[in-house]
Amino acid sequence: MIRPPLPRALTAGLMAAGFLLTTSCGAEVEPAADAKPDTVTLSNCGEDVTYTRPERPVAYDVSGAEKMFSLGLADEMRGYVMNELGDPSIEGSPWREDYTEVERLGTERITREIVVDAKADWVLAGWNSGFSEERGITPALLDKVGIASYLHTETCWDYGDKSVDATPLEALYTDLDNLGKIFGVEKWADELVTGLQDRVTALKKTWPAGGDPAKVFVYDSGTDQPFTAGRHAAPNDIITAAGGTNVFGDLDKGWTTVGWEPVIEAKPEVIVIIDYADQPAKDKIAYLKSLPGLKSIPAVKGNHFLVMSYGDAVSGPRNVTGAEDLGRYLRSVGR
């Protein structure tokens, strides 16, 4: 089914967010299908790959699903797989309707069995977040059964020869551009990327003049050791775009564990709490406040906590919304 193309008039509620949304979930026809090549060759994680236009694509997690949804490709999808821990992200998503109309093929991690059973011909996921040697689902293994793959550029730093080292937002723009080419919606992708870039530019204009950027700590989970974001994870660029600095932005990692002592030594002024289904943000905040070592850090003393949806914190178009929300919060506390 092909639905109407991207409308030019956006609803008032979504105008501020700047998302290029459709009132339905179909792909834009641009131009006639017979004017588009059936194959395209592009670089994915440093490797030139030739893709035939997917007919039964499957996406994993919020990152994969919403990159597809944001390009109007919901009607093209065979389905998506998403751990139920991310379910609150669906409720707050601009693409809630697409989530209900596209078949959900699994509520845990993606597996080779799921995509084979679905007769998928193409899979979108990240390295170690979806594809995994240990779990037996890799681009090479899928290729053996005739299923093509695309890896999120954000995860390329940890895959193959590790030659691709794009920042998280650069990686997001690359993925949207590449998906636009693979599915023949280049114009849509170009408009989406330009809109996201314009919003980041506008956000930077709100930064306070002079002084050092606010120090921000991302708390995903963990008690013995906190799980946080290094420089390759989306929150690193979200924080930078908002006008802050990630206290663990010098770690050559994506999502990773650190010790509590480095958190204390970093003296973060704001703590971003990632919200999950099984770990309510209020409980995480209460736990952090209960730790004796954290009582002296500025964020806890000032009660400076920002709750961020998992959907805003993983690679996807909502990263810019997360940056805008954090920027507003930083300005509200004088930073």
Side-chain angles (χ1 to χ4, degrees):
M1 169 173 72
I2 298 296
R3 296 189 174 185
L6 184 69
R8 301 304 175 200
L10 302 179
T11 61
L14 291 175
M15 183 74 78
F19 281 109
L20 300 175
L21 300 174
T22 58
T23 54
S24 59
C25 59
E28 187 177 14
V29 179
E30 54 152 42
D34 59 3
K36 292 287 184 181
D38 290 329
T39 63
V40 61
T41 300
L42 48 82
S43 179
N44 183 218
C45 287
E47 180 181 356
D48 287 340
V49 183
T50 298
Y51 292 98
T52 298
R53 185 78 55 81
E55 296 182 353
R56 296 174 64 82
V58 169
Y60 176 59
D61 203 54
V62 176
S63 290
E66 296 197 354
K67 285 174 185 175
M68 296 288 285
F69 295 160
S70 68
L71 292 170
L73 296 169
D75 283 340
E76 308 253 345
M77 295 174 65
R78 170 63 183 86
Y80 71 94
V81 180
M82 181 173 158
N83 193 303
E84 60 187 3
L85 298 182
D87 282 1
S89 301
I90 296 177
E91 182 60 31
S93 174
W95 300 284
R96 288 186 299 275
E97 182 180 343
D98 290 339
Y99 276 112
T100 63
E101 294 187 1
V102 177
E103 183 177 356
R104 187 169 183 172
L105 303 172
T107 57
E108 295 184 1
R109 292 202 176 198
I110 194 167
T111 66
R112 184 169 46 171
E113 289 73 23
I114 287 175
V115 297
V116 169
D117 288 347
K119 296 181 172 58
D121 62 356
W122 183 89
V123 178
L124 170 61
W127 184 249
N128 283 333
S129 57
F131 299 123
S132 167
E133 293 278 6
E134 292 180 352
R135 294 187 298 101
I137 177 170
T138 68
L141 290 171
L142 291 180
D143 186 60
K144 290 181 178 179
V145 292
I147 301 174
S149 303
Y150 182 92
L151 290 99
H152 296 303
T153 303
E154 181 203 36
T155 66
C156 290
W157 68 274
D158 196 29
Y159 176 80
D161 63 8
K162 301 176 174 53
S163 62
V164 177
D165 189 21
T167 68
L169 279 180
E170 289 172 346
L172 168 63
Y173 303 149
T174 295
D175 288 344
L176 294 173
D177 282 335
N178 283 344
L179 294 176
K181 294 182 176 79
I182 291 170
F183 287 91
V185 289
E186 295 96 328
K187 182 180 177 183
W188 190 311
D190 182 66
E191 291 181 354
L192 177 59
V193 170
T194 299
L196 294 172
Q197 292 171 328
D198 287 348
R199 288 166 59 194
V200 171
T201 298
L203 178 57
K204 290 180 177 179
K205 293 178 180 179
T206 72
W207 293 1
D212 295 329
K215 294 187 289 186
V216 181
F217 166 55
V218 177
Y219 180 57
D220 177 282
S221 57
T223 52
D224 292 340
Q225 290 185 307
F227 194 61
T228 189
R231 76 179 183 91
H232 296 291
N236 193 65
D237 276 15
I238 290 173
I239 293 167
T240 300
T245 184
N246 176 12
V247 296
F248 292 110
D250 59 345
L251 293 181
D252 191 28
K253 298 285 186 179
W255 292 92
T256 188
T257 55
V258 295
W260 285 114
E261 197 59 38
V263 176
I264 297 168
E265 292 173 356
K267 299 179 181 178
E269 301 164 68
V270 171
I271 298 177
V272 171
I273 305 289
I274 308 300
D275 195 21
Y276 285 101
D278 69 333
Q279 301 176 47
K282 63 181 180 61
D283 292 348
K284 292 182 181 180
I285 294 172
Y287 175 72
L288 294 179
K289 288 182 174 180
S290 74
L291 297 177
L294 296 188
K295 293 185 183 297
S296 63
I297 67 173
V300 174
K301 289 174 66 175
N303 197 35
H304 293 164
F305 297 93
L306 174 74
V307 177
M308 182 175 291
S309 168
Y310 172 78
D312 291 355
V314 295
S315 178
R318 286 164 65 182
N319 290 162
V320 177
T321 300
E324 291 167 338
D325 289 346
L326 178 57
R328 281 189 289 270
Y329 183 78
L330 292 178
R331 306 299 95 79
S332 75
V333 297
R335 302 294 280 131

